[in-house]
Amino acid sequence: MDADILGDYLTGEQAALTADRLFHVLGNPAGEDRAVVERSYALMRASNDAGCYQAVHPLLGRDAQFTWIWIDTLTQDTLCDSTPGTGSENNAAFLRAVSLAQQRHYALLELRARNLLGAAAVDAGDSEAAWKVYLPTIRKFYSGDYPAIRLYATLSGLEEVEQTTPRIRQTLLLQREVVGVLELTRSRELIPTERLKLAAAAIRAGALPEAQEQMRLAQSELAANDGGKSVQGFLAENEIAMAKLYFERRDEAASEKMLDSAQQHMVGEQDTNHERSYAEARGQLKLAQGHADVAEPMLRAAILEEEREAGKGGSESIVQAQQDRTLYAMLAGVWLAQGRPGEEILALWERYRLRILGDLAPVCPDRGLACLKPKLIGELAALGQDRVVGQVVLTDRLLLYRASALGVVWTQVAVRSADVLAAAEPLERAVSSPATAMDSVDLAARRVGSLLIDPLNKFDRPDAAAGTSSHLSIEPDPLLGNLPWPSVATDAGFLGLQFDLQEMPSLLLDRAPAASGVPFAKPPGRPLIVGASMASGESQLLPEVLVEARAVARFDTDPNLLLAEQATEPQVAAHLATASAIHFAGHAAQQDGATHLLLAANITPASGAGQDKPWLDSEILRRHPPRAARLVVFSACSTGKKEAGWNHGMDDIVATLAALGVPDVVATRWQIDSGSAVPLMDAFYGGLAQGLSVPQALTSARQTLIRDPRYRHPYYWAAWYSSGSGRSDLRAVFHAGSF
């Protein structure tokens, strides 16, 4: 335990192993269990979650002699379990640990379990839930005489939550408290890290003298800790982060000074994360200083190295590709500054967009990065009268592009990424609640449109007589996350009501044959329609989804219809590979950064217990790829209560389906209103049955829905978006029908 407090986790693990053996010799099973728990803690702190779980999980199958050991086992096992969903803030094991600790008056164990609940909420990005957990924990701490390290865990969790909010001063105050509390503990090894976080918070708040002092103290403390190579790398990492913050504040001289220092600390180091981050920071600085020719080879070399390390592509390389976004974005800005052709710049950006879908980047001659240009030109020619628009958001500028059969035109706007995000966030909040006044919605929608659409060429309503198309594809910059594009507005109105709007994963994504726009014969499989009204883990039934699922089923003569308790993971998985189309109506949850479409538990007669993972997610879709599906629709219905933590896209599932070749996907960005879902789906599938494309049918459905005064607010229709090719003819799958 002393070793763990001092941060010497290897020694802590070895001591716990020795204690385990001694207790075994003495015939003391409670001591053995306690030693195992301590060993699992040391492994967890050493970032060995697999070893931690392997050590502690067997204890759950034994009868604990002491309740406090059982509480520790519950929390430790859940904390180290990498299974999706186990880190949820409503995890049953965490809640049980809190309850047991309260019943037995184990105050320290209760504090620890509460902190783990709060940490789970932080990981889920649910700031409201995190505060609800952490505030009572803080009150509990101050009501007694407890070790300061418990308060540190709470305050550091709150500080992490606040990093994602605009409350800059609150972040600074919390981080000051974190450092102050740590100074009261024996965990001195944690202080330099938290000082550097405090320095970063001070820079954001404009407290530069405090930032400089905390940076100096952290460097002094790290240097006193033997000054080894690990310290040098740690300093480099934080100096690069500081350089980026200085750049955001337009202090280029301070940014360059930090980068020079970081470069010295990186000498002899083999850390690709530091090298990537350094190239990003130095590249953006040189571009801002007008030295694009200096930035170009540095950024290009960093990208080539990242692509080499990514290996053969696939799902395991997607996370690394996502981390490389800034490198590609910066190089796009550099190429634009150098006057490179628009098609070459877009070929570079499409290279990145394909990588985040799991595709392998092609090797170009002469260490180039634009060899996708010929394929791009072919795709542009196939657009006909259609248009594709997109964005590349940089720290100090915004790049916009408009692609058509005539070529690619880039526009650079002097607006910073912070301003773009500050405009996008209010729109996301405004349209995801029906209580927001329309004046506020209109103001937020128009603000985003003025930044992202107007500079390209103010779009008027499409005019077929003038030879323009009503189809508009958008390639959103992943940095914009959940921006609800249907609710973005120009002077002519909302995009989702003006255009047949389609979000496109990549212009160059290989399409299934059915995406060409040519009607296809009746596919061998049948539509799969899921009405998951009995979601496992949810206490409230969803009878509305049964109405929706049965209504959708009427558009096909012989669908596979799974309702209520039939909608289990094994049943759904069995039909995925052959389904000609998939419609899911039910409840969605965001856990550990992944979307779970909740299903009924698969209860086996032998055990009476659920034997499957009662949800549909990207992992299951990759195991059972729906390659015959021409369309997948995810209709995440509301339970009638406010879902404060569920305002996110299904981007992970949508991207997975795109990578698997599904031509068109329709999903929602927030829990939609059940009352409006039925008429909207009625109009949508009716449009498909009449030969409309997916974006045409969805736009027509939106226009139909707003004729009802109850559903004119964008909350009811802007959550729905389509992603893919927008060219599938689905008359062979869906026939004329009526809800």
Side-chain angles (χ1 to χ4, degrees), residues 7-341:
D8 188 356
Y9 304 119
L10 179 60
T11 300
E13 183 203 357
Q14 294 302 315
L17 277 172
T18 302
D20 187 14
R21 288 193 293 267
L22 290 173
F23 280 123
H24 182 73
V25 171
L26 293 171
N28 187 332
E32 291 180 66
D33 290 352
R34 173 64 189 279
V36 170
V37 170
E38 291 300 332
R39 177 172 176 250
S40 72
Y41 177 79
L43 289 166
M44 179 200 69
R45 292 304 302 267
S47 301
N48 185 356
D49 286 347
C52 167
Y53 182 72
Q54 187 177 12
V56 76
H57 188 66
L59 293 185
L60 293 180
R62 306 213 297 249
D63 292 330
Q65 185 174 349
F66 298 100
T67 303
W68 62 269
I69 295 179
W70 178 248
I71 295 170
D72 256 345
T73 301
L74 276 175
T75 55
Q76 203 63 31
D77 177 76
T78 307
L79 196 62
C80 296
D81 187 355
S82 60
T83 304
T86 54
S88 169
E89 65 267 27
N90 57 6
N91 180 277
F94 284 157
L95 294 172
R96 188 179 179 192
V98 171
S99 177
L100 284 172
Q102 289 175 333
Q103 292 172 17
R104 298 301 181 95
H105 305 290
Y106 293 139
L108 288 177
L109 291 178
E110 180 187 347
L111 286 172
R112 181 167 187 256
R114 284 185 176 278
N115 279 332
L116 294 176
L117 278 173
V122 172
D123 291 341
D126 192 342
S127 59
E128 182 177 342
W131 273 99
K132 285 181 178 179
V133 172
Y134 279 140
L135 276 179
T137 308
I138 292 175
R139 295 190 185 103
K140 180 80 175 178
F141 177 86
Y142 282 119
S143 69
D145 184 15
Y146 305 116
I149 194 68
R150 301 296 185 191
L151 182 59
Y152 160 71
T154 304
L155 292 175
S156 61
L158 282 175
E159 187 274 335
E160 188 173 348
V161 167
E162 289 304 305
Q163 285 181 5
T164 63
T165 75
R167 297 185 287 266
I168 296 173
R169 293 292 301 177
Q170 186 153 295
T171 304
L172 177 60
L173 292 173
L174 280 169
Q175 192 58 35
R176 286 173 179 167
E177 287 290 318
V178 168
V179 173
V181 167
L182 271 181
E183 289 175 334
L184 300 175
T185 74
R186 295 172 58 195
S187 300
R188 312 299 297 179
E189 80 288 348
L190 298 174
I191 294 178
T193 305
E194 298 300 337
R195 283 201 193 281
L196 291 168
K197 290 182 181 179
L198 177 54
I203 286 180
R204 293 191 190 96
L208 292 183
E210 181 177 4
Q212 292 165 350
E213 175 63 11
Q214 292 301 323
M215 190 75 176
R216 184 191 67 78
L217 288 172
Q219 289 177 330
S220 175
E221 290 164 347
L222 286 168
N225 186 25
D226 80 22
K229 289 300 297 179
S230 61
V231 174
Q232 300 297 309
F234 188 76
L235 283 173
E237 176 184 341
N238 285 278
E239 286 166 341
I240 294 168
M242 296 285 285
K244 291 180 178 180
L245 289 170
Y246 277 122
F247 183 83
E248 290 174 7
R249 294 186 58 83
R250 297 179 173 87
D251 190 342
E252 294 180 6
S255 179
E256 188 151 34
K257 183 178 179 181
M258 279 290 172
L259 287 175
D260 291 342
S261 179
Q263 188 177 30
Q264 293 177 3
H265 288 134
M266 289 169 61
V267 171
E269 188 185 41
Q270 300 293 324
D271 190 312
T272 55
N273 289 328
H274 292 172
E275 291 167 3
R276 181 189 67 241
S277 187
Y278 175 81
E280 292 170 357
R282 185 70 80 174
Q284 75 177 358
L285 180 61
K286 290 303 178 185
L287 177 60
Q289 293 172 338
H291 303 311
D293 291 342
V294 176
E296 201 279 342
M298 180 191 315
L299 291 166
R300 179 160 44 84
I303 289 174
L304 289 169
E305 177 61 21
E306 289 292 300
E307 291 182 350
R308 185 192 66 79
E309 287 198 351
K312 298 180 180 180
S315 59
E316 65 278 2
S317 69
I318 291 175
V319 173
Q320 181 178 349
Q322 291 169 337
Q323 294 172 344
D324 294 338
R325 178 203 162 275
T326 302
L327 288 173
Y328 288 92
M330 288 303 312
L331 189 56
V334 167
W335 282 10
L336 184 60
Q338 291 179 323
R340 298 277 287 266

Side-chain angles (χ1 to χ4, degrees), residues 356-381:
I356 62 176
L357 293 171
D359 278 17
L360 177 65
V363 178
C364 302
D366 302 322
R367 293 178 60 82
L369 292 171
C371 57
L372 288 172
K373 179 180 175 182
K375 184 177 181 180
L376 174 65
I377 291 175
E379 292 294 333
L380 293 177

Side-chain angles (χ1 to χ4, degrees), residues 387 457-463 490-492 498-499:
R387 293 153 292 175
N457 184 11
K458 290 182 180 293
F459 287 121
D460 296 320
R461 290 188 180 277
D463 184 357
T490 67
D491 286 338
Q498 292 182 70
F499 297 97

